[in-house]
Amino acid sequence: MVTPSLPRGKSEDTFVYIRDIFVKGLANIEKAMVRNKYKLWIYSNYLLPSKRFLLTIHTLTDSHLKLLDTLTDKSVKKWSGLPPSATNAILHMKEGLNFKSISELYMETHTASHTRTRQKGDNYVNSVIDSSVQRESGFTRKKSTSNEAEQIYQSCLESTIVLDELSVMTGETAALSKHQLDGKVSDSVKAAMAAETRKKWESHVKDLAVQGNILARAAAEKQDIIWKSYMFDLKQGTLKFLLNSSIDTLPTAANLKRWKKSCSDLCKLCKRRQTTEHILSACPVALDTGRYTWRHNCVINYIVNSVDQKFTVYSDLPGHTAPGGGSIPPELCVTVQKPDIVILNNNTKEINLFELTCPSEKHIETRHKEKSDKYAHFTTDITAYKCKVNCFEVSSKGFISTRNHTTLSTLHKFMKPSIRVTQFKKNISALSLTASHQIFISR
């Protein structure tokens, strides 16, 4: 490929110059003989950061930025295994892949540069900026990057500065206060940019009838989707399954019929309408044949085998049952119910009951209430030990809500010291996700 020539100053020339650089960079990543998920890593951790300076020193129009967004999003979707029609929110939201779009990166770099210039520049520099802002404020058909950056800077400055305090300071005290103020304003500018971007994408996914459900729910939870922390460690194909299941673009019978690729939307197992939720958590045949139980037991087995030896643990899994069967020792309570995990601390006379469910995201709270009501009586029925009942949910796609993060942190206290809480949560999420991938393959 021919090395891009330097721009001649016109906006179109500048765009062509920058576009050719991105085209070359994307082509180099595409030629790399690595898995697609590692191409995503290279794009996020090398290509985008390496272009920050390039985007800072050049000015681009809105239409040119949209063309660059389209160019890069196309490659990212290809490496992610997403269809071209997939919403860009899964690529750029904090609850998704969290890759900055070129437009976002461009505005971020320009605003940061504008803020630093305002703070470090002398009176002459700031006078030039004032003149530029005043001139561009008259634009009616063209977007002014300087004006937008100035508005964000002034807004953050007004919310941070205390004029009365600065006016009475002199010497080193004033210099130190100015330095601290500049740092606060810079942090405030970054936070304002992030909040604006988040607001834009949250508004976007709320309007999506199909693809935005899970992303909107995660945004409402104010919780990062945990799979982002281990997505580059997933087996081949699992990341593609995860992303497509998150925006309901998997090739289910219902989607194939909607896309006019099939004439039937019925499940081959139960002859009901086959959606992503149906396959992963609602097919009666899959339930009766133990597919969902297998996924559930994969998670339980990992937890039971990770419990510290100083505690006594029982489960309904083979090899871990209490004397006489079940999961609760009969000397403590005679019952036919079998909580998933029962952990005893014989020193403090405490017994902790943990019950796991792997529902779809929208049913997490419903299942939690059902299981909590079901096992609540044990807190009074068991009298020899102090009893606590903890019901928690890990969704079929590995999503862990804020409340369940807290419950898993409580459960982690009984694990072996070598198992860190972050890794513990990652493993539980990954087990549920990987098992769901297998269930989908076997549909």
Side-chain angles (χ1 to χ4, degrees):
M1 183 175 292
V2 179
T3 303
S5 59
L6 290 175
R8 296 190 294 274
K10 295 182 179 179
S11 61
E12 187 67 29
D13 294 337
T14 302
F15 164 67
V16 171
Y17 170 70
I18 295 177
R19 182 200 62 192
D20 289 347
I21 291 176
F22 272 98
V23 167
K24 183 178 180 180
L26 294 170
N28 288 337
I29 296 176
E30 180 62 31
K31 288 188 294 185
M33 299 181 67
V34 296
R35 290 182 180 179
N36 283 340
K37 63 181 181 181
Y38 300 131
K39 293 179 181 178
L40 289 173
W41 186 92
I42 296 171
Y43 173 82
S44 173
N45 292 277
Y46 170 71
L47 183 65
L48 283 182
S50 70
K51 300 298 180 282
R52 292 181 68 92
F53 178 72
L54 178 72
L55 294 172
T56 302
I57 61 175
H58 293 294
T59 302
L60 295 167
T61 65
D62 240 3
S63 57
H64 288 156
L65 287 171
K66 289 177 181 177
L67 290 173
L68 290 175
D69 284 341
T70 301
L71 173 68
T72 52
D73 288 349
K74 182 179 179 182
S75 294
V76 173
K77 285 181 180 179
K78 178 182 178 182
W79 299 329
S80 304
L82 293 166
S85 60
T87 174
N88 293 333
I90 189 67
L91 308 180
H92 305 306
M93 281 187 73
K94 183 181 178 182
E95 291 75 18
L97 290 174
N98 200 23
F99 293 169
K100 285 184 172 65
S101 67
I102 304 303
S103 299
E104 294 165 1
L105 188 62
Y106 171 82
M107 199 61 217
E108 179 186 295
T109 56
H110 272 266
T111 305
S113 176
H114 183 89
T115 300
R116 286 194 301 270
T117 306
R118 275 295 198 189
Q119 293 173 340
K120 305 301 181 184
D122 56 20
N123 292 336
Y124 293 103
V125 171
N126 279 290
S127 177
V128 171
I129 295 177
D130 289 337
S131 298
S132 176
V133 169
Q134 184 178 4
R135 177 178 60 86
E136 294 183 12
S137 63
F139 290 173
T140 56
R141 299 181 60 186
K142 183 180 179 181
K143 174 183 175 181
S144 171
T145 305
S146 296
N147 270 5
E148 289 192 25
E150 177 69 9
Q151 289 173 8
I152 295 173
Y153 170 71
Q154 291 296 340
S155 174
C156 294
L157 184 64
E158 291 172 5
S159 64
T160 307
I161 193 169
V162 182
L163 291 174
D164 292 337
E165 292 183 7
L166 285 178
S167 62
V168 298
M169 294 180 181
T170 58
E172 293 183 1
T173 304
L176 178 61
S177 298
K178 177 67 165 58
H179 177 74
Q180 293 174 343
L181 173 65
D182 288 347
K184 290 180 180 179
V185 172
S186 296
D187 292 341
S188 182
V189 167
K190 293 177 183 177
M193 294 290 295
E196 185 178 341
T197 300
R198 183 179 182 86
K199 182 179 178 181
K200 179 188 75 172
W201 286 117
E202 286 183 3
S203 175
H204 174 70
V205 296
K206 286 179 181 178
D207 296 332
L208 300 178
V210 177
Q211 296 189 22
N213 291 337
I214 295 177
L215 292 174
R217 188 174 295 110
E221 282 271 352
K222 303 297 182 185
Q223 179 72 45
D224 277 359
I225 296 180
I226 193 171
W227 51 256
K228 288 196 303 182
S229 60
Y230 61 79
M231 66 180 182
F232 295 117
D233 297 326
L234 292 171
K235 302 296 183 183
Q236 186 173 6
T238 306
L239 179 59
K240 177 181 178 180
F241 161 78
L242 169 60
L243 294 174
N244 281 282
S245 65
S246 296
I247 56 174
D248 198 11
T249 51
L250 287 171
T252 62
N255 280 342
L256 290 173
K257 184 177 180 181
R258 184 160 58 90
W259 299 334
K260 296 181 171 35
K261 301 291 184 180
S262 173
C263 59
S264 173
D265 61 356
L266 300 181
C267 173
K268 293 181 180 179
L269 299 177
C270 66
K271 306 305 178 186
R272 298 181 184 179
R273 188 168 183 267
Q274 187 194 69
T275 61
T276 301
E277 181 182 350
H278 175 88
I279 295 172
L280 299 183
S281 57
C283 178
V285 176
L287 176 63
D288 293 340
T289 54
R291 297 185 184 188
Y292 303 149
T293 302
W294 167 74
R295 176 179 60 200
H296 171 274
N297 289 349
C298 285
V299 179
I300 295 299
N301 186 61
Y302 165 72
I303 296 174
V304 168
N305 286 298
S306 299
V307 173
D308 196 330
Q309 293 182 352
K310 67 181 180 181
F311 301 108
T312 303
V313 58
Y314 296 114
S315 175
D316 197 31
L317 298 178
H320 297 284
T321 57
S327 57
I328 296 181
E331 64 269 20
L332 296 180
C333 183
V334 178
T335 178
V336 295
Q337 292 183 332
K338 304 173 183 178
D340 290 326
I341 303 170
V342 176
I343 301 176
L344 280 76
N345 187 335
N346 294 316
N347 294 328
T348 60
K349 298 295 183 180
E350 291 181 345
I351 179 172
N352 285 268
L353 278 56
F354 292 92
E355 179 68 18
L356 167 68
T357 313
C358 297
S360 62
E361 287 75 11
K362 69 179 183 180
H363 290 140
I364 284 178
E365 295 306 321
T366 302
R367 297 294 175 264
H368 177 75
K369 186 178 185 306
E370 290 174 355
K371 290 299 181 74
S372 297
D373 292 344
K374 179 178 179 181
Y375 294 107
H377 65 91
F378 283 117
T379 57
T380 55
D381 289 352
I382 298 176
T383 56
Y385 280 55
K386 182 180 179 181
C387 179
K388 295 181 181 178
V389 177
N390 302 276
C391 298
F392 66 102
E393 299 77 36
V394 180
S395 86
S396 54
K397 303 183 188 74
F399 175 72
I400 300 175
S401 66
T402 303
R403 173 179 52 75
N404 286 305
H405 269 285
T406 303
T407 307
L408 286 175
S409 295
T410 301
L411 177 57
H412 176 262
K413 295 176 182 178
F414 301 101
M415 301 299 112
K416 298 172 183 176
S418 60
I419 302 175
R420 299 180 63 182
V421 62
T422 53
Q423 191 61 48
F424 178 66
K425 294 177 181 178
K426 287 179 187 178
N427 290 343
I428 288 176
S429 173
L431 281 168
S432 180
L433 170 63
T434 306
S436 292
H437 187 200
Q438 180 58 42
I439 291 171
F440 178 79
I441 292 173
S442 305
R443 68 190 183 282

